[in-house]
Amino acid sequence: MPAPASKAAWWLLAACAIANSVCQLSPATAQSVASRTDAPPSAQSAERQDSFYCEERRLGYWFYCERPKTPDQNSPSPSPSPAPAASATSQLDAITATLRELKAKAILEPTPANVTAYIRFQRAQLDRASLFSDVWQRAIWQDPELDYTLQRPVSTLGKRQWQDSRSAERNAAMAQLSERYGLFYFFAQSCGACEVMSPIVQSVASTWHIAVRAISTDGGPSRHFPNYTVETNQRSRMGLEPKITPAVVLWDARTGRPIPIGYGVMSADELQDRIYLLTSKEAGRDY
C-alpha cells in the first residue's frame, strides 16, 4: 500500500483535475508524485490498483475492471468462412421461377425486348433438357441394369421376340391350370355384354380343359352354357360385387378361395393373360 502522504498527493491531483484548477504542491510532494508518475507501473502496482478499484470499491465493468484481451500479433487472423453453396434443388427452383417471370412479363408487356428475353432463356433450358436426355440415354445403353427394355422391349423386332416367349410361357402355365383351378362365370339373360363374353369364356375353358360353372343371376338361360344354375347368393358368400355381369371368377380348389379375374367384356387373349398373371406371377414381377 502507498504511504499516506503519497496517497493524499494523488487524491489532491485528482481533485484538481476534476475542478480544472491548478494546485500547488510542496517540492517534496511534487517530487514524490513526479517520480511515481514517470516510473513505469509495475505488475505488482497494477494488480494492487485493480484490487483496490475492482474488489474493494466494486466499481464494476464501467471502470474496466475486466481488462480487454489484446490480440496476439503473431497469431493469424481468422479467414472468413466461405458462403454455403446453393443446393441443386434451389438452383432448379430459381431457374423455374425466372422462366415463369420472363414468360409472365412477355405476356403482360409483349415488347420485343421482353419476348426476346423469354425466348432466349427458354431456349437455354431446352438445350439443358436435351443434354440431360442425351446423357440419360447413353447411361442406359452402357449399363444393362438400368435398361428396362431388356425386360420389356420396345423395338419391333425385340417386342415380337418377347411376345413369342411370353406366349410360350403362358401356354405352359395354362396347360397345368385345370389340375388346381376352375371357373365361375356369372351372367344374365338380359345382359347384352354377356352375349359377347359367353362364347369367349367357353372357348378359353375348352382350350385348356378348365371346368366352368355358369350361374345365371336373373334365372334366364344361356345358349352357350345350357347346364347353368341359378344364383343363390354365391357371389355374396365369395365377397364379390353382386350387381355386375358378366363376371369371371377363378376358384382355387387347393386353398378354397375365389380369385376375381375381371368384369365386363374382354378378349380371349386378355382373359388368358389375367389368369396367367394372377396364378403364376407375384406382384411386381411382371409390369
Side-chain angles (χ1 to χ4, degrees), residues 164-179 181 207-208 210 272-273 275-276 279-280:
D164 293 341
S165 177
R166 171 65 174 268
S167 296
E169 184 180 353
R170 185 192 70 184
N171 293 343
M174 293 292 293
Q176 306 296 326
L177 198 71
S178 61
E179 299 176 1
Y181 298 95
T207 301
W208 303 111
I210 302 174
Q272 294 176 91
D273 267 344
I275 294 174
Y276 167 66
T279 57
S280 304

Side-chain angles (χ1 to χ4, degrees), residues 206-244:
S206 176
T207 301
W208 303 111
H209 309 287
I210 302 174
V212 180
R213 184 176 178 182
I215 300 177
S216 175
T217 59
D218 61 356
S222 171
R223 57 190 179 91
H224 299 285
F225 297 100
N227 297 324
Y228 71 92
T229 59
V230 179
E231 182 179 13
T232 55
N233 206 28
Q234 287 95 332
R235 282 185 292 183
S236 297
R237 291 197 297 269
M238 293 181 184
L240 306 177
E241 173 59 47
K243 297 181 180 180
I244 301 178

Side-chain angles (χ1 to χ4, degrees), residues 56-67:
E56 297 182 13
R57 299 295 300 276
R58 298 181 181 178
L59 298 180
Y61 60 88
W62 292 105
F63 288 83
Y64 301 97
C65 289
E66 293 182 1
R67 294 182 180 179

